[in-house]
Amino acid sequence: MNHDEDSKVGEDELSLSEFLVPDTTEIKEIKSIYENEYEYSEYLSEIEISIAEYYYNYNRKLTDKDVIKALKNIKLNRDKQISFFEKALEKKIVKSLVEPLEENLLFDHEFTLVIDYVLWVIDNRSWIEDKQAYVKWITYVLGFFSEEEEKKYERQFKRFARKMGISGAQVDMLLMKKEMADDFFDEEDIFGESLLEVLDPDEIFSEERTADDLETGFFLMNDDEKFDFLLDKGPDYVELVQDYVTELAEKEEFEKIQDFYKKFNEKNKNFFPLHFIVGSAYLNNDPALAISYFEKTLKATEDSEEFPPEMREELKRYMDILTKLLLEEATEKVEEKVVESKKSKRSRKSGKKASKNNSKSEKV
């Protein structure tokens, strides 16, 4: 047995309770680590990183319930050796906690409060109708998703959140975007009272917020009301325009997209974001048409300071790639037709020969 194997066996014989200090009367009186999360961030981060990494790299079917069961089992059996834990996620979380506990011992009661806090965070996302609400969120926040996966998650999250009456600013807070993501373990930002208040479902669904927020009210409208609202307010709500057009494309309601595009342009001349949004909506359905809308985007932004030169160049490169793909596709179709035509001619010739041979046989 080599050194690595010895080390692995030795680690598996450890238990978390070996690093937990017996509680004092004062420690037992602590009810929660809420508002003191920063003091326990090294343990919280190990748990959440383990969950996100396990979901992203090993098991995309992992649900919030699976995580809850794992955490409860770890809490209940913290006195057991690591080898006791058979499930991969449980073992991963337990092993990740050994090093921080070795460096900074915790009271036993504090450890249970750390686990309870993560369980509370999971429950705090139960308002999202997804069995993987927490799992996907923490994977997104910790930056495990690819750029494409991240954008997809944001689109889905925003669409659902707005339907539930959450404003754009609150959505950004819930997603922990921008500077909040950069300072993930900053005491005031990530674990501070302001964020936790935003995460309170009672506040999220308050009627007062919904009534005062046009962006929220949009998702309470029927299709005709959305159409009229965006014709009037679209330039101020570009993201809603994008969501609306994307949703129509997903339902393959391209005639409605054309109707909206025509009427919107009549009312809002040279609004280049719409050209780009509609072009993106047609990418899978009609690439050639998509290119035409991208060309309109470029033309509309020739003298616009709002559209940076580097974005124009990027769009041009994108259009060149699409054009090349379309040409290749067209060439392949022409070649296929030529081959089919030749096969058809050969087939007809063979048929004529067979017919002549049959005639000769009959005469004989």
Side-chain angles (χ1 to χ4, degrees), residues 129 213 231 266 280 295 339:
E129 295 176 356
D213 196 342
L231 284 182
E266 288 173 355
S280 300
E295 288 173 344
V339 172

PDB file of all heavy atoms in Angstrom, residues 129 213 231 266 280 295 339:
ATOM      1  N   GLU A 129     -40.503  27.216  -8.715  1.00  0.00           N
ATOM      2  CA  GLU A 129     -41.097  25.924  -9.072  1.00  0.00           C
ATOM      3  C   GLU A 129     -40.111  25.067  -9.861  1.00  0.00           C
ATOM      4  O   GLU A 129     -40.233  24.883 -11.064  1.00  0.00           O
ATOM      5  CB  GLU A 129     -42.385  26.151  -9.867  1.00  0.00           C
ATOM      6  CG  GLU A 129     -43.479  26.834  -9.059  1.00  0.00           C
ATOM      7  CD  GLU A 129     -44.704  27.142  -9.885  1.00  0.00           C
ATOM      8  OE1 GLU A 129     -44.676  26.885 -11.108  1.00  0.00           O
ATOM      9  OE2 GLU A 129     -45.689  27.643  -9.325  1.00  0.00           O
ATOM     10  N   ASP A 213     -44.791  48.387  -9.951  1.00  0.00           N
ATOM     11  CA  ASP A 213     -43.746  48.016 -10.900  1.00  0.00           C
ATOM     12  C   ASP A 213     -44.337  47.619 -12.250  1.00  0.00           C
ATOM     13  O   ASP A 213     -44.935  46.563 -12.395  1.00  0.00           O
ATOM     14  CB  ASP A 213     -42.940  46.845 -10.322  1.00  0.00           C
ATOM     15  CG  ASP A 213     -41.627  46.651 -11.050  1.00  0.00           C
ATOM     16  OD1 ASP A 213     -41.476  47.165 -12.169  1.00  0.00           O
ATOM     17  OD2 ASP A 213     -40.763  45.978 -10.494  1.00  0.00           O
ATOM     18  N   LEU A 231     -45.394  48.109 -27.686  1.00  0.00           N
ATOM     19  CA  LEU A 231     -45.406  49.105 -28.761  1.00  0.00           C
ATOM     20  C   LEU A 231     -45.224  50.504 -28.181  1.00  0.00           C
ATOM     21  O   LEU A 231     -44.567  51.361 -28.772  1.00  0.00           O
ATOM     22  CB  LEU A 231     -46.726  49.041 -29.541  1.00  0.00           C
ATOM     23  CG  LEU A 231     -46.910  47.894 -30.529  1.00  0.00           C
ATOM     24  CD1 LEU A 231     -48.252  48.029 -31.239  1.00  0.00           C
ATOM     25  CD2 LEU A 231     -45.779  47.853 -31.548  1.00  0.00           C
ATOM     26  N   GLU A 266     -42.789  51.274 -37.160  1.00  0.00           N
ATOM     27  CA  GLU A 266     -43.567  52.436 -37.603  1.00  0.00           C
ATOM     28  C   GLU A 266     -43.617  53.498 -36.508  1.00  0.00           C
ATOM     29  O   GLU A 266     -43.622  54.698 -36.788  1.00  0.00           O
ATOM     30  CB  GLU A 266     -44.988  52.004 -37.976  1.00  0.00           C
ATOM     31  CG  GLU A 266     -45.063  51.201 -39.267  1.00  0.00           C
ATOM     32  CD  GLU A 266     -46.456  50.648 -39.519  1.00  0.00           C
ATOM     33  OE1 GLU A 266     -47.332  50.827 -38.631  1.00  0.00           O
ATOM     34  OE2 GLU A 266     -46.678  50.039 -40.584  1.00  0.00           O
ATOM     35  N   SER A 280     -32.042  37.373 -33.990  1.00  0.00           N
ATOM     36  CA  SER A 280     -31.685  36.250 -33.113  1.00  0.00           C
ATOM     37  C   SER A 280     -32.815  35.229 -33.031  1.00  0.00           C
ATOM     38  O   SER A 280     -32.573  34.025 -32.944  1.00  0.00           O
ATOM     39  CB  SER A 280     -31.360  36.774 -31.707  1.00  0.00           C
ATOM     40  OG  SER A 280     -30.274  37.675 -31.743  1.00  0.00           O
ATOM     41  N   GLU A 295     -28.049  42.770 -40.681  1.00  0.00           N
ATOM     42  CA  GLU A 295     -27.592  43.830 -41.591  1.00  0.00           C
ATOM     43  C   GLU A 295     -28.311  45.146 -41.290  1.00  0.00           C
ATOM     44  O   GLU A 295     -27.717  46.224 -41.328  1.00  0.00           O
ATOM     45  CB  GLU A 295     -27.836  43.412 -43.046  1.00  0.00           C
ATOM     46  CG  GLU A 295     -26.888  42.318 -43.516  1.00  0.00           C
ATOM     47  CD  GLU A 295     -27.239  41.793 -44.899  1.00  0.00           C
ATOM     48  OE1 GLU A 295     -28.386  42.056 -45.347  1.00  0.00           O
ATOM     49  OE2 GLU A 295     -26.394  41.125 -45.517  1.00  0.00           O
ATOM     50  N   VAL A 339     -26.314  14.535 -57.994  1.00  0.00           N
ATOM     51  CA  VAL A 339     -26.161  13.091 -57.788  1.00  0.00           C
ATOM     52  C   VAL A 339     -27.484  12.379 -58.012  1.00  0.00           C
ATOM     53  O   VAL A 339     -27.548  11.340 -58.678  1.00  0.00           O
ATOM     54  CB  VAL A 339     -25.629  12.804 -56.365  1.00  0.00           C
ATOM     55  CG1 VAL A 339     -25.662  11.303 -56.084  1.00  0.00           C
ATOM     56  CG2 VAL A 339     -24.215  13.344 -56.208  1.00  0.00           C
TER      57      VAL A 339
END
